[in-house]
Amino acid sequence: MLRLDLPLSFESCTTYCLTVDTKKLYTTPFEMERRKTATLKEKLADHYQKRDFTVKPSIASQVGMCFFGFMTISLLIESLSILIPTLYKDDDTSRRICELLVFFTLFEMVGNWYFTYNDVKNHVRKTSKDTHFPNSIDTPPGWKTCPICQMDAPPRSHHCVLCGKCILKRDHHCFFTGSCVGLHNQRTFVVFCVYLIWGNLFALFLQLTYLNDAMPIFSSNALDYVIFVALWRLFTGAMSIGLFIILAHAYLCAFCLGAGVFFLCWQTVIIINGQTSYEAWKRISAYQSSTLENVRSVFGPLKYSWLLLLSPVPVQLPHDGLRWHIIKNNKGY
Ligand SMILES: [Zn+2]
Ligand SMILES: [Zn+2]
């Protein structure tokens, strides 16, 4: 279909398409014709012009999610096909127990990851205000108008630039799950951290035991555990690629373990204090209650809390995220 807004002459049309309308290259019959006769160099130049090199904020989340997927799959393969069969080749019972632990950890970690990732219930909707304040035309007291979403958002909610949404009782954006941790998924995020720590501790135990058998750590081989020394020995042929991969994997597990411990400790502190990360940072304590109530507002009825460690079951929370009572006479927002 011909574009009616093109310049009349062929030369000016070509110039127009190449210099101005670079994102819509080859959309006109003239450009289609030109592409047929273009050299490879010209095609590459056009492709370079068309590329959008702007880094999108969502890419950081995608990288985090891919890293989680890579670690989960690679650890599963490594532990079931190399570490456990080698370490427990003469002990069937221990091997079965280890395999069961691997599958249990995998189920819990991926299950809680999914329920943290699936954060749809955390999104503030246009209907949120109308449902609770049907007769109110103005922004209700304590609510604010999000300048990006252009809608009224309840107290404790914040806009996430990565999710592009206002999140109920927003805590932080998690790159491992690619979603915001807020009112409805903070519980599964905490349990996810617990299994992240347990899974990586278990993996490190298997990896270090395997490596210690091949190159005893309390010997002249101790320096081989330093990744740069290991890399050098790999290049000189003094270390096998298999041992190097397991050692590098152990470093990644140590990183994940550190991240899990950091987030679990941080979450424990703010949950006990009845705050979000933002409120702790800004020293806002308007919504703090007793320790038990603070914990209940995240984990629901404590009667079934033990179930949380066994299965990421949904529970009814005492708050809907839209109405918050200011408990302490402090600065709210
Ligand atoms: Zn917003
Ligand atoms: Zn977010």
Side-chain angles (χ1 to χ4, degrees):
M1 204 174 135
L2 279 170
R3 283 174 53 164
L4 298 175
D5 59 341
L6 282 172
L8 291 175
S9 72
F10 177 79
E11 290 80 11
S12 58
C13 172
T14 309
T15 308
Y16 170 78
C17 288
L18 280 177
T19 59
V20 180
D21 203 10
T22 53
K23 288 188 178 177
K24 294 179 181 176
L25 288 172
Y26 317 131
T27 56
T28 68
F30 299 108
E31 280 302 301
M32 294 293 281
E33 189 60 37
R34 194 185 69 79
R35 181 171 166 73
K36 283 180 190 168
T37 56
T39 63
L40 179 62
K41 189 179 172 186
E42 287 169 341
K43 285 179 183 174
L44 285 173
D46 286 349
H47 179 70
Y48 181 82
Q49 281 185 318
K50 200 169 68 168
R51 287 289 304 274
D52 181 6
F53 290 103
T54 313
V55 177
K56 297 184 179 74
S58 59
I59 287 177
S61 285
Q62 287 162 4
V63 169
M65 289 163 71
C66 287
F67 178 69
F68 173 74
F70 162 76
M71 286 300 287
T72 306
I73 294 168
S74 59
L75 277 176
L76 188 68
I77 294 170
E78 184 185 274
S79 56
L80 291 181
S81 63
I82 300 169
L83 301 177
I84 294 173
T86 309
L87 293 173
Y88 302 103
K89 59 177 179 291
D90 300 324
D91 187 350
D92 276 357
T93 312
S94 299
R95 199 176 70 238
R96 294 269 153 73
I97 291 171
C98 282
E99 286 168 353
L100 274 175
L101 280 174
V102 167
F103 284 116
F104 172 73
T105 309
L106 180 77
F107 169 76
E108 292 293 340
M109 200 152 66
V110 173
N112 284 288
W113 179 92
Y114 175 76
F115 282 103
T116 309
Y117 160 79
N118 187 12
D119 64 343
V120 180
K121 283 170 81 178
N122 278 337
H123 298 169
V124 178
R125 300 174 194 290
K126 282 198 188 306
T127 54
S128 298
K129 191 196 85 174
D130 298 334
T131 307
H132 289 263
F133 303 95
N135 301 319
S136 173
I137 302 167
D138 301 322
T139 305
W143 287 48
K144 63 203 167 185
T145 304
C146 174
I148 303 163
C149 300
Q150 289 296 313
M151 63 180 179
D152 291 329
R156 309 191 84 180
S157 64
H158 287 282
H159 186 88
C160 175
V161 289
L162 297 174
C163 297
K165 300 238 175 349
C166 274
I167 307 293
L168 293 172
K169 198 194 166 198
R170 182 175 184 271
D171 190 77
H172 69 279
H173 185 90
C174 173
F175 290 98
F176 270 171
T177 58
S179 62
C180 259
V181 175
L183 179 73
H184 291 286
N185 62 352
Q186 190 173 16
R187 178 177 64 88
T188 49
F189 175 73
V190 171
V191 184
F192 170 69
C193 286
V194 170
Y195 282 102
L196 191 69
I197 293 169
W198 157 247
N200 283 290
L201 271 176
F202 186 47
L204 273 170
F205 165 75
L206 293 175
Q207 288 163 338
L208 292 178
T209 311
Y210 182 90
L211 288 171
N212 190 50
D213 285 350
M215 41 185 199
I217 194 163
F218 297 111
S219 69
S220 56
N221 292 316
L223 268 180
D224 293 355
Y225 284 82
V226 179
I227 194 72
F228 298 111
V229 176
L231 196 61
W232 172 251
R233 289 179 69 78
L234 175 72
F235 279 125
T236 55
M239 181 183 279
S240 69
I241 187 143
L243 282 181
F244 180 79
I245 288 172
I246 291 172
L247 182 66
H249 221 180
Y251 270 87
L252 292 177
C253 286
F255 166 74
C256 294
L257 176 65
V261 170
F262 170 77
F263 280 105
L264 184 62
C265 291
W266 176 242
Q267 290 292 307
T268 305
V269 170
I270 60 169
I271 288 170
I272 287 174
N273 283 338
Q275 294 173 302
T276 62
S277 295
Y278 176 83
E279 290 161 5
W281 178 45
K282 292 284 182 182
R283 299 181 187 279
I284 296 169
S285 52
Y287 306 99
Q288 286 180 326
S289 184
S290 67
T291 302
L292 199 63
E293 282 303 310
N294 291 338
V295 174
R296 275 190 69 232
S297 73
V298 173
F299 292 100
L302 296 179
K303 199 162 63 169
Y304 304 110
S305 58
W306 59 273
L307 268 175
L308 300 176
L309 284 174
L310 295 177
S311 172
V313 287
V315 293
Q316 187 68 38
L317 294 176
H319 295 287
D320 60 3
L322 301 174
R323 293 169 191 267
W324 294 97
H325 299 294
I326 295 179
I327 294 163
K328 284 194 175 181
N329 189 16
N330 203 330
K331 188 177 83 173
Y333 58 98

PDB file of all heavy atoms in Angstrom, residues 124 145-151 153 157-161 164-167, ligand 1:
ATOM      1  N   VAL A 124      -2.407  -2.182  41.863  1.00  0.00           N
ATOM      2  CA  VAL A 124      -3.504  -1.250  42.151  1.00  0.00           C
ATOM      3  C   VAL A 124      -4.267  -1.045  40.839  1.00  0.00           C
ATOM      4  O   VAL A 124      -3.663  -0.852  39.781  1.00  0.00           O
ATOM      5  CB  VAL A 124      -2.939   0.109  42.638  1.00  0.00           C
ATOM      6  CG1 VAL A 124      -4.066   1.088  42.899  1.00  0.00           C
ATOM      7  CG2 VAL A 124      -2.116  -0.091  43.904  1.00  0.00           C
ATOM      8  N   THR A 145      -2.388  10.478  44.190  1.00  0.00           N
ATOM      9  CA  THR A 145      -2.554  10.235  42.755  1.00  0.00           C
ATOM     10  C   THR A 145      -1.193   9.933  42.156  1.00  0.00           C
ATOM     11  O   THR A 145      -0.270  10.742  42.273  1.00  0.00           O
ATOM     12  CB  THR A 145      -3.168  11.462  42.056  1.00  0.00           C
ATOM     13  OG1 THR A 145      -4.394  11.771  42.710  1.00  0.00           O
ATOM     14  CG2 THR A 145      -3.423  11.185  40.590  1.00  0.00           C
ATOM     15  N   CYS A 146      -1.082   8.740  41.551  1.00  0.00           N
ATOM     16  CA  CYS A 146       0.201   8.365  40.930  1.00  0.00           C
ATOM     17  C   CYS A 146       0.368   9.195  39.658  1.00  0.00           C
ATOM     18  O   CYS A 146      -0.490   9.156  38.769  1.00  0.00           O
ATOM     19  CB  CYS A 146       0.217   6.869  40.610  1.00  0.00           C
ATOM     20  SG  CYS A 146       1.693   6.398  39.680  1.00  0.00           S
ATOM     21  N   PRO A 147       1.460   9.943  39.551  1.00  0.00           N
ATOM     22  CA  PRO A 147       1.648  10.795  38.373  1.00  0.00           C
ATOM     23  C   PRO A 147       1.884   9.997  37.093  1.00  0.00           C
ATOM     24  O   PRO A 147       1.706  10.523  35.998  1.00  0.00           O
ATOM     25  CB  PRO A 147       2.884  11.628  38.738  1.00  0.00           C
ATOM     26  CG  PRO A 147       3.593  10.838  39.783  1.00  0.00           C
ATOM     27  CD  PRO A 147       2.561  10.047  40.504  1.00  0.00           C
ATOM     28  N   ILE A 148       2.254   8.721  37.231  1.00  0.00           N
ATOM     29  CA  ILE A 148       2.549   7.908  36.034  1.00  0.00           C
ATOM     30  C   ILE A 148       1.299   7.135  35.600  1.00  0.00           C
ATOM     31  O   ILE A 148       0.917   7.140  34.442  1.00  0.00           O
ATOM     32  CB  ILE A 148       3.728   6.961  36.302  1.00  0.00           C
ATOM     33  CG1 ILE A 148       4.940   7.800  36.728  1.00  0.00           C
ATOM     34  CG2 ILE A 148       4.070   6.123  35.076  1.00  0.00           C
ATOM     35  CD1 ILE A 148       6.040   7.043  37.401  1.00  0.00           C
ATOM     36  N   CYS A 149       0.652   6.453  36.571  1.00  0.00           N
ATOM     37  CA  CYS A 149      -0.560   5.691  36.241  1.00  0.00           C
ATOM     38  C   CYS A 149      -1.776   6.608  36.086  1.00  0.00           C
ATOM     39  O   CYS A 149      -2.780   6.212  35.498  1.00  0.00           O
ATOM     40  CB  CYS A 149      -0.863   4.663  37.331  1.00  0.00           C
ATOM     41  SG  CYS A 149       0.409   3.457  37.607  1.00  0.00           S
ATOM     42  N   GLN A 150      -1.679   7.812  36.644  1.00  0.00           N
ATOM     43  CA  GLN A 150      -2.800   8.760  36.615  1.00  0.00           C
ATOM     44  C   GLN A 150      -4.053   8.173  37.272  1.00  0.00           C
ATOM     45  O   GLN A 150      -5.151   8.267  36.741  1.00  0.00           O
ATOM     46  CB  GLN A 150      -3.107   9.191  35.170  1.00  0.00           C
ATOM     47  CG  GLN A 150      -2.068  10.105  34.553  1.00  0.00           C
ATOM     48  CD  GLN A 150      -1.960  11.449  35.266  1.00  0.00           C
ATOM     49  OE1 GLN A 150      -2.975  12.074  35.542  1.00  0.00           O
ATOM     50  NE2 GLN A 150      -0.751  11.857  35.598  1.00  0.00           N
ATOM     51  N   MET A 151      -3.856   7.522  38.406  1.00  0.00           N
ATOM     52  CA  MET A 151      -5.022   7.025  39.161  1.00  0.00           C
ATOM     53  C   MET A 151      -4.700   7.076  40.658  1.00  0.00           C
ATOM     54  O   MET A 151      -3.526   7.170  41.049  1.00  0.00           O
ATOM     55  CB  MET A 151      -5.394   5.612  38.730  1.00  0.00           C
ATOM     56  CG  MET A 151      -4.354   4.581  38.987  1.00  0.00           C
ATOM     57  SD  MET A 151      -4.950   2.991  38.427  1.00  0.00           S
ATOM     58  CE  MET A 151      -3.562   1.963  38.800  1.00  0.00           C
ATOM     59  N   ALA A 153      -4.035   5.920  44.300  1.00  0.00           N
ATOM     60  CA  ALA A 153      -3.403   4.728  44.880  1.00  0.00           C
ATOM     61  C   ALA A 153      -3.477   4.820  46.399  1.00  0.00           C
ATOM     62  O   ALA A 153      -3.337   5.900  46.970  1.00  0.00           O
ATOM     63  CB  ALA A 153      -1.952   4.625  44.430  1.00  0.00           C
ATOM     64  N   SER A 157       1.232   2.117  49.074  1.00  0.00           N
ATOM     65  CA  SER A 157       1.516   1.634  47.713  1.00  0.00           C
ATOM     66  C   SER A 157       2.522   2.578  47.061  1.00  0.00           C
ATOM     67  O   SER A 157       2.607   3.747  47.416  1.00  0.00           O
ATOM     68  CB  SER A 157       0.237   1.557  46.884  1.00  0.00           C
ATOM     69  OG  SER A 157      -0.283   2.853  46.717  1.00  0.00           O
ATOM     70  N   HIS A 158       3.270   2.027  46.110  1.00  0.00           N
ATOM     71  CA  HIS A 158       4.244   2.839  45.381  1.00  0.00           C
ATOM     72  C   HIS A 158       4.292   2.369  43.938  1.00  0.00           C
ATOM     73  O   HIS A 158       3.995   1.214  43.649  1.00  0.00           O
ATOM     74  CB  HIS A 158       5.640   2.714  45.995  1.00  0.00           C
ATOM     75  CG  HIS A 158       5.781   3.437  47.292  1.00  0.00           C
ATOM     76  ND1 HIS A 158       5.941   4.794  47.378  1.00  0.00           N
ATOM     77  CD2 HIS A 158       5.743   2.988  48.559  1.00  0.00           C
ATOM     78  CE1 HIS A 158       6.014   5.148  48.639  1.00  0.00           C
ATOM     79  NE2 HIS A 158       5.887   4.068  49.385  1.00  0.00           N
ATOM     80  N   HIS A 159       4.707   3.280  43.085  1.00  0.00           N
ATOM     81  CA  HIS A 159       4.835   2.930  41.671  1.00  0.00           C
ATOM     82  C   HIS A 159       6.201   2.278  41.439  1.00  0.00           C
ATOM     83  O   HIS A 159       7.215   2.747  41.948  1.00  0.00           O
ATOM     84  CB  HIS A 159       4.701   4.184  40.803  1.00  0.00           C
ATOM     85  CG  HIS A 159       4.674   3.870  39.351  1.00  0.00           C
ATOM     86  ND1 HIS A 159       3.495   3.579  38.673  1.00  0.00           N
ATOM     87  CD2 HIS A 159       5.676   3.745  38.448  1.00  0.00           C
ATOM     88  CE1 HIS A 159       3.790   3.313  37.418  1.00  0.00           C
ATOM     89  NE2 HIS A 159       5.097   3.414  37.251  1.00  0.00           N
ATOM     90  N   CYS A 160       6.208   1.196  40.672  1.00  0.00           N
ATOM     91  CA  CYS A 160       7.469   0.533  40.302  1.00  0.00           C
ATOM     92  C   CYS A 160       7.748   0.838  38.837  1.00  0.00           C
ATOM     93  O   CYS A 160       6.925   0.496  37.971  1.00  0.00           O
ATOM     94  CB  CYS A 160       7.382  -0.977  40.535  1.00  0.00           C
ATOM     95  SG  CYS A 160       8.870  -1.832  39.950  1.00  0.00           S
ATOM     96  N   VAL A 161       8.895   1.438  38.562  1.00  0.00           N
ATOM     97  CA  VAL A 161       9.215   1.788  37.170  1.00  0.00           C
ATOM     98  C   VAL A 161       9.527   0.546  36.344  1.00  0.00           C
ATOM     99  O   VAL A 161       9.382   0.549  35.119  1.00  0.00           O
ATOM    100  CB  VAL A 161      10.403   2.773  37.091  1.00  0.00           C
ATOM    101  CG1 VAL A 161      10.006   4.138  37.574  1.00  0.00           C
ATOM    102  CG2 VAL A 161      11.606   2.252  37.859  1.00  0.00           C
ATOM    103  N   GLY A 164       6.021  -1.046  35.944  1.00  0.00           N
ATOM    104  CA  GLY A 164       5.118  -0.103  35.283  1.00  0.00           C
ATOM    105  C   GLY A 164       3.754  -0.052  35.945  1.00  0.00           C
ATOM    106  O   GLY A 164       2.753   0.270  35.308  1.00  0.00           O
ATOM    107  N   LYS A 165       3.706  -0.389  37.237  1.00  0.00           N
ATOM    108  CA  LYS A 165       2.418  -0.448  37.946  1.00  0.00           C
ATOM    109  C   LYS A 165       2.595   0.093  39.362  1.00  0.00           C
ATOM    110  O   LYS A 165       3.694   0.097  39.908  1.00  0.00           O
ATOM    111  CB  LYS A 165       1.941  -1.905  38.060  1.00  0.00           C
ATOM    112  CG  LYS A 165       1.732  -2.612  36.731  1.00  0.00           C
ATOM    113  CD  LYS A 165       0.334  -3.098  36.634  1.00  0.00           C
ATOM    114  CE  LYS A 165      -0.089  -3.726  35.340  1.00  0.00           C
ATOM    115  NZ  LYS A 165       0.719  -3.645  34.185  1.00  0.00           N
ATOM    116  N   CYS A 166       1.458   0.498  39.951  1.00  0.00           N
ATOM    117  CA  CYS A 166       1.454   0.819  41.376  1.00  0.00           C
ATOM    118  C   CYS A 166       1.230  -0.484  42.133  1.00  0.00           C
ATOM    119  O   CYS A 166       0.345  -1.271  41.768  1.00  0.00           O
ATOM    120  CB  CYS A 166       0.342   1.817  41.691  1.00  0.00           C
ATOM    121  SG  CYS A 166       0.860   3.508  41.452  1.00  0.00           S
ATOM    122  N   ILE A 167       2.020  -0.711  43.153  1.00  0.00           N
ATOM    123  CA  ILE A 167       2.004  -1.993  43.875  1.00  0.00           C
ATOM    124  C   ILE A 167       1.509  -1.774  45.305  1.00  0.00           C
ATOM    125  O   ILE A 167       1.986  -0.879  46.008  1.00  0.00           O
ATOM    126  CB  ILE A 167       3.427  -2.608  43.921  1.00  0.00           C
ATOM    127  CG1 ILE A 167       4.017  -2.705  42.502  1.00  0.00           C
ATOM    128  CG2 ILE A 167       3.433  -3.955  44.613  1.00  0.00           C
ATOM    129  CD1 ILE A 167       3.342  -3.671  41.577  1.00  0.00           C
TER     130      ILE A 167
HETATM  131 ZN    ZN B   1       1.611   4.140  39.378  1.00  0.00          ZN
END
